Amino acid sequence: MPIPDDVTGDEIDKDVRQELQSLPKGLAEEVSRNLVMVARLIDEDPEGAYAYSRIALRLASRVAAVREAAGFAAYASQKYSEALAEFRAARRMTGNVDLWPVMADCERGMGRPEKALDMAGAPDVQKLDKAGQVEMRLVAAGARRDMGQLDAAIVTLQSPELASHSVQPWTPRLRYAYADALLAAGREDEAREWFAKAVESDKDGSTDASDRLAELDGVEFVDALVEDESESEADSGTEAEPTSVREADRVIQAEIDEVDEIDDVDDEDLADDDLDDAEDERDEERNEEREDEGDDDDGHDEGAPRG
């Protein structure tokens, strides 16, 4: 697959670059450029990211960072079985437990919420940092909801991290998940309160908490451009023509104008021809008159007496 010229491979994390040093220089550069494309596309074009990850995986399957990137690309493309296999491979290579929550979420994606709950109670969870533990809590709550256990999902999310007034990177998602679980359980007033708290902490817009809150408040968003066009149509009392019709009319009128211009030129040419013909006719008449006069002069000389 093509890679833009501005992608050099130097954009990757220094730890990943260090892992790639085990490869020949040219190969390491090619792999790193593909990994950059994975990172660049994974949010907006998961399938594109997945395609680049497969290339990197084919080139360097024994590099843990490559297996991990392939796992996340497959996860973003909802290929959960494939993602889980890549995450397991990366974990075997590094012994790192950081991937434990996303591995559990893959189990959810494969329709095995019970397995995800088992992983949430495994000793490995205690080895996770605070962000990882919060992530594991989110996965466990999702598994509870998958099993129809809404109250249990709500209880799972209740924690010191949820109650804390300090804002951490995980705060918006945790508050959002809690609000969403409350709403699913029919506790709308509480849900509104927590969606508002999620909005307050979500400065980067990583969730759609503001839209959910507006929906609960009965607020409708209308496209300003569409609204202006509707008002203009109402004022004129006519329906706006489709753009394609207006464009067609414009082209047709231009063609008509062009034909008219050609006709005007032809008319001018015809008028000039008529003038030329009239001049020719007058010249012929004058020549004929001169010839007649010449004939009369010759006859008079022949009949005169000679001295």
Side-chain angles (χ1 to χ4, degrees):
M1 294 182 64
I3 298 177
D5 293 337
D6 65 323
V7 175
T8 64
D10 293 335
E11 302 89 341
I12 61 174
D13 184 82
K14 63 179 182 180
D15 293 334
V16 176
R17 190 182 303 113
Q18 187 173 356
E19 284 191 56
L20 295 177
Q21 288 180 355
S22 61
L23 303 174
K25 184 177 180 180
L27 180 59
E29 180 180 340
E30 186 175 357
V31 173
S32 63
R33 294 183 72 207
N34 279 280
L35 292 181
V36 171
M37 293 305 298
V38 173
R40 180 178 290 189
L41 297 177
I42 195 164
D43 291 329
E44 302 298 330
D45 181 12
E47 290 296 334
Y50 175 76
Y52 281 106
S53 76
R54 300 308 296 177
I55 296 174
L57 188 62
R58 187 174 67 249
L59 296 173
S61 61
R62 295 185 180 182
V63 177
V66 172
R67 303 302 291 264
E68 184 174 328
F72 277 111
Y75 178 81
S77 302
Q78 299 183 6
K79 298 176 175 62
Y80 298 115
S81 178
E82 188 174 328
L84 183 58
E86 297 302 335
F87 289 142
R88 284 174 174 168
R91 185 168 181 268
R92 283 195 303 269
M93 292 177 179
T94 63
N96 199 323
V97 298
D98 291 347
L99 295 173
W100 195 252
V102 71
M103 290 169 62
D105 207 36
C106 286
E107 295 286 358
R108 282 188 60 212
M110 295 165 63
R112 301 195 295 235
E114 297 88 351
K115 178 62 176 176
L117 285 176
D118 289 342
M119 293 179 68
D124 282 342
V125 175
Q126 304 304 317
K127 301 176 185 178
L128 295 169
D129 60 13
K130 182 63 68 176
Q133 291 180 7
V134 171
E135 192 67 32
M136 193 72 252
R137 191 179 293 275
L138 288 168
V139 173
R144 292 290 185 187
R145 290 189 62 173
D146 293 344
M147 299 167 66
Q149 301 173 4
L150 288 176
D151 291 338
I154 292 171
V155 172
T156 299
L157 293 169
Q158 292 172 348
S159 60
E161 293 80 19
L162 180 67
S164 175
H165 293 292
S166 66
V167 176
Q168 303 295 332
W170 60 76
T171 302
R173 293 180 58 235
L174 184 58
R175 291 178 177 179
Y176 182 94
Y178 189 60
D180 194 44
L182 288 169
L183 187 60
R187 296 159 62 173
E188 186 172 315
D189 291 341
E190 294 174 84
R192 190 200 176 284
E193 176 187 351
W194 281 96
F195 275 128
K197 289 182 178 181
V199 171
E200 181 182 342
S201 62
D202 191 6
K203 304 301 182 183
D204 298 330
S206 59
T207 71
D208 64 345
S210 59
D211 293 340
R212 300 292 300 276
L213 182 61
E215 184 180 341
L216 287 174
D217 289 340
V219 177
E220 290 187 13
F221 295 98
V222 179
D223 190 305
L225 180 60
V226 173
E227 187 176 34
D228 290 343
E229 290 179 352
S230 300
E231 290 178 357
S232 177
E233 292 172 13
D235 292 340
S236 64
T238 59
E239 293 183 359
E241 289 183 335
T243 302
S244 58
V245 174
R246 292 197 299 271
E247 181 66 12
D249 289 344
R250 186 188 66 77
V251 172
I252 292 172
Q253 186 59 49
E255 292 176 350
I256 292 173
D257 293 341
E258 184 178 354
V259 170
D260 289 343
E261 290 177 2
I262 294 173
D263 289 342
D264 290 340
V265 172
D266 290 342
D267 290 342
E268 291 176 1
D269 291 342
L270 289 174
D272 291 340
D273 292 340
D274 291 340
L275 289 174
D276 292 341
D277 292 340
E279 290 290 340
D280 292 342
E281 290 178 0
R282 283 195 293 271
D283 290 341
E284 289 179 3
E285 289 176 358
R286 282 194 293 270
N287 291 332
E288 290 176 358
E289 288 176 358
R290 282 195 293 270
E291 289 176 0
D292 291 340
E293 289 175 359
D295 292 339
D296 291 341
D297 290 340
D298 293 342
H300 178 72
D301 291 341
E302 289 175 356
R306 299 180 179 183

